[in-house]
Amino acid sequence: MIRFDREKNADSIPSVAGRVRSLAVGMPVIAVHFLGDHAAFVGVEENVALVNEADEVSKVAVHSGGILCAVSDDSRLVMGGDDGKLVALDKKGEVTLLATDPKRRWIDNVALHADGVMAWSVGKTAFVRSRNAEDKSFEVPSTVGGLAFAPKGMRLAIAHYNGVTLWFPNMAVDSEFLEWAGSHLDVVFSPDNKFLVTAMHEPALHGWRLADNRHMRMVGLPGRVRSMSWSANGKALATSGADTVILWPFASKDGPMGKEPTMLAPLPTRVARVACNPKQDILAAAYDGGTILLVRLSDGAEILVKSGTAEVSALAWNAGGTQLAFATEDGGAGMLKL
Amino acid sequence: MPEPTSQKIPVTVLTGYLGAGKTTLLNRILSENHGKKYAVIVNEFGEIGIDNDLIIGADEEIFEMNNGCVCCTVRGDLVRILEGLMRRKGRFDAIIVETTGLADPAPVAQTFFVDEDVQKNARLDAVVTVADAKWLSDRLKDAPEAKNQIAFADVIVLNKTDLVSKPELTEVEGRIRAINPYAKLHSTERCQVALSDVLERGAFDLDRILEIEPEFLEAGDDHDDHDHDHGHHHDHHDHDHGLKHYHDEDMQSLSLRTSKPLDAAKFMPWLQDLIATEGQKILRSKGILAFNGDDDRYVFQGVHMMLEGDHQRKWKEGEPRESRLVFIGRELPEQTIRDGFENCITS
């Protein structure tokens, strides 16, 4: 693999830590999203903390239990909970109940399509709701590990044990099965619609080139991949799982096959989360132990956003790539304006 | 160990054949006034009459690990559920996983050996098996699942003892002991067992593998006679513990011991090879070891092909440096194991 940098510690890196605004969200957070200019910190249970341009925090009750998953487009945040409810929140703080599982089972995964169509899963069943509020469901052989809409067309990838099912909710031929042994816990499409990548229970990724379903094994990581993010131009997939950020090259028609991934920003601890800036070739990486770095993809140059003690549980950019938000397991949170 | 054991959430696995009384025990655990909150993972909703907002329905999804080993299976649903639960640490003190009556406890236990994230936050406390005094003897004949659950157990709650005569009870206890002489055995009616005998056992805690002697019946009110029967157990031999001797056709335990030091350079490869070749048959293994030229006690335990071991502490002054190993399994190649072990003893 290509290593850009030498061994070093966080304290030798140029820092913008003084410019980070800390926010009193007052609760542990599982994810952070942006609704326009507002940051929405999704709590471990019950609440979302909305933060406006003036950094004022207002809490909104969204679930009556643990919050398990959250996705957003620019206008709404959609969450599933262990109360069996699927809920949407807009930036004005208005909550809409979208669906309730009759048996109060956990809503484990949720995905949004650019067209406003949404998908969620309960156990082995994936649901899709069209814009005119028509629901369809599809059952896979085992519990759904992850959901992702293809960037083009109406196609939902459902990750599960031993592979991924591609479901076409509007087609007569309604599904295609991509088999690969093992447990697939997360799934993403490449922005150019050419590749599908899953994070597995083992420390490995698996990919398919969708034109011919050719397999791509991405192995050699010391830890399980819990965080994946596509670079701004869609040519590389950044992942956690090692003591450096791993950048898998997807620029050519073969994807990462036969190529070395790039290893950026090594630290003595493992990368826990990655978030690529949506406009520029930089990414934010959070490490075990709580350090966050900004890393330039072209040369691996690093800037320290924060050092710390508490684990980073959420990390995200706004759509314009001008604001970075993060939260830590102990209830701390902060934002940085570029 | 990256995190101290005490900070990890203890997980009790509750198994038992259909109708043995798992739900009765579970309801007791949840309703008794102990000031603790339990998150409960059940395989079927609706059977539990207690209002508890942390009851989670599970699907018992058995996943093979991608390592080519067919017995390295984990509960995929548990990985996911525990991940969800662990975000809400502080809401509960312990977790109970109830399995279906036909479940093999191994994948549940193996989940705690294999999954890094599960291991970071939770620890397996004990496998508790509820058995029906009236029907267990029959089930041991016709249901391999029931036998597995007895063999795997750290604690056995032998329930519904009011429905059998004393000789019948003695027989079923003997049959349990023939399979698993090491579990704590409690004979009860309606699962009336002290919760401290079921929870917080630390059965998978390497530091608590202090004694691996065969266990004898807990002195219950109506079992004093049994207790006296085994008063002489200090000079016991394997399988000979005062109860009528039963031999189970295919599930046994095998204990090995020596007061001569073991050669670590021979023992470790032997154990790993044994586990690799016979691990499918070996349900549980445990050991306290004294190695040649090593002042520390070494302890290990395993579930099928998964082993963990560590230096535990210094041998105490005057403490006999005896190595003891126990295997519980199906059709164990006893002589091969004994010979292999002998070969690891320094002469």
Side-chain angles (χ1 to χ4, degrees), chain B residues 190-202:
Chain B
R190 286 172 291 282
C191 290
Q192 291 296 324
V193 58
L195 294 188
S196 59
D197 287 335
V198 176
L199 303 168
E200 286 292 326
R201 303 301 310 166

Side-chain angles (χ1 to χ4, degrees), chain A residues 170-247:
Chain A
N170 298 334
M171 306 277 276
V173 178
D174 69 350
S175 72
E176 181 184 348
F177 179 45
L178 303 175
E179 188 174 6
W180 186 257
S183 188
H184 301 262
L185 297 175
D186 196 3
V187 59
V188 290
F189 280 93
S190 63
D192 62 8
N193 216 18
K194 288 182 177 154
F195 301 99
L196 186 74
V197 179
T198 63
M200 302 199 61
H201 187 223
E202 292 85 24
L205 300 165
H206 195 78
W208 289 266
R209 184 167 69 184
L210 293 169
D212 55 3
N213 291 351
R214 199 181 134 191
H215 290 285
M216 303 184 291
R217 294 185 65 203
M218 289 172 265
V219 296
L221 297 153
R224 186 171 134 195
V225 174
R226 307 176 65 88
S227 181
M228 301 191 274
S229 177
W230 290 96
S231 64
N233 59 14
K235 303 288 187 209
L237 178 66
T239 71
S240 68
D243 60 356
T244 75
V245 174
I246 309 284
L247 267 190

Side-chain angles (χ1 to χ4, degrees), chain A residues 252-299:
Chain A
S252 81
K253 66 175 175 42
D254 291 333
M257 291 303 92
K259 295 184 195 69
E260 293 280 321
T262 306
M263 301 169 83
L264 298 176
L267 278 189
T269 54
R270 253 186 225 170
V271 175
R273 268 161 212 289
V274 286
C276 290
N277 185 292
K279 300 292 181 196
Q280 308 177 50
D281 271 344
I282 55 174
L283 62 77
Y287 294 75
D288 283 351
T291 298
I292 298 178
L293 299 181
L294 292 180
V295 185
R296 192 156 60 200
L297 302 191
S298 56
D299 61 359

Side-chain angles (χ1 to χ4, degrees), chain B residues 61-199:
Chain B
E61 293 182 321
I62 311 292
F63 291 177
E64 273 174 36
M65 296 303 293
N66 259 351
N67 57 7
C69 150
V70 287
C71 61
C72 290
T73 50
V74 299
R75 280 274 301 271
D77 57 318
L78 268 190
V79 173
R80 177 182 60 94
I81 290 169
L82 290 172
E83 188 176 325
L85 276 176
M86 285 312 165
R87 291 178 180 157
R88 303 175 76 196
K89 272 194 272 188
R91 282 270 165 167
F92 52 89
D93 305 295
I95 298 173
I96 299 170
V97 182
E98 185 203 27
T99 69
T100 61
L102 297 176
D104 174 3
V108 184
Q110 288 173 168
T111 305
F112 291 84
F113 281 76
V114 162
D115 192 275
E116 204 177 286
D117 299 297
V118 169
Q119 229 172 33
K120 205 166 101 188
N121 295 306
R123 64 177 173 84
L124 192 55
D125 185 65
V127 176
V128 176
T129 298
V130 183
D132 182 325
K134 188 162 176 63
W135 295 110
L136 183 70
S137 296
D138 288 351
R139 293 296 81 78
L140 291 178
K141 289 173 203 149
D142 64 14
E145 298 88 355
K147 199 178 277 184
N148 252 347
Q149 291 165 356
I150 294 293
F152 216 94
D154 300 293
V155 177
I156 297 168
V157 178
L158 185 58
N159 194 30
K160 306 191 187 182
T161 53
D162 50 329
L163 302 181
V164 295
S165 66
K166 266 203 171 162
E168 284 174 314
L169 183 60
T170 308
E171 174 177 339
V172 72
E173 286 168 347
R175 290 195 186 279
I176 289 172
R177 285 307 180 209
I179 295 167
N180 184 345
Y182 301 97
K184 291 261 183 198
L185 176 58
H186 302 280
S187 295
T188 67
E189 295 168 22
R190 286 172 291 282
C191 290
Q192 291 296 324
V193 58
L195 294 188
S196 59
D197 287 335
V198 176
L199 303 168

Side-chain angles (χ1 to χ4, degrees), chain A residues 67-266:
Chain A
I67 305 173
L68 299 169
C69 50
V71 289
S72 63
D73 54 26
D74 210 33
S75 65
R76 64 178 174 168
L77 174 66
V78 179
M79 292 155 285
D82 69 7
D83 56 359
K85 291 193 162 72
L86 184 72
V87 170
L89 174 73
D90 68 16
K91 66 175 172 184
K92 283 179 261 157
E94 249 169 71
V95 180
T96 315
L97 177 65
L98 300 169
T100 304
D101 183 75
K103 291 188 196 156
R104 203 179 177 258
R105 290 173 300 172
W106 290 15
I107 296 187
D108 298 309
N109 298 284
V110 56
L112 286 175
H113 190 271
D115 284 354
V117 176
M118 65 182 147
W120 67 97
S121 72
V122 175
K124 298 172 187 174
T125 312
F127 297 87
V128 159
R129 177 168 295 174
S130 65
R131 271 172 303 171
N132 54 12
E134 188 197 348
D135 287 0
K136 287 179 182 168
S137 69
F138 188 90
E139 190 163 320
V140 291
S142 62
T143 300
V144 175
L147 295 174
F149 277 109
K152 287 180 204 143
M154 184 46 63
R155 175 163 57 161
L156 180 70
I158 308 167
H160 48 86
Y161 184 49
N162 283 343
V164 177
T165 299
L166 295 176
W167 177 31
F168 311 91
N170 298 334
M171 306 277 276
V173 178
D174 69 350
S175 72
E176 181 184 348
F177 179 45
L178 303 175
E179 188 174 6
W180 186 257
S183 188
H184 301 262
L185 297 175
D186 196 3
V187 59
V188 290
F189 280 93
S190 63
D192 62 8
N193 216 18
K194 288 182 177 154
F195 301 99
L196 186 74
V197 179
T198 63
M200 302 199 61
H201 187 223
E202 292 85 24
L205 300 165
H206 195 78
W208 289 266
R209 184 167 69 184
L210 293 169
D212 55 3
N213 291 351
R214 199 181 134 191
H215 290 285
M216 303 184 291
R217 294 185 65 203
M218 289 172 265
V219 296
L221 297 153
R224 186 171 134 195
V225 174
R226 307 176 65 88
S227 181
M228 301 191 274
S229 177
W230 290 96
S231 64
N233 59 14
K235 303 288 187 209
L237 178 66
T239 71
S240 68
D243 60 356
T244 75
V245 174
I246 309 284
L247 267 190
W248 305 89
F250 277 84
S252 81
K253 66 175 175 42
D254 291 333
M257 291 303 92
K259 295 184 195 69
E260 293 280 321
T262 306
M263 301 169 83
L264 298 176

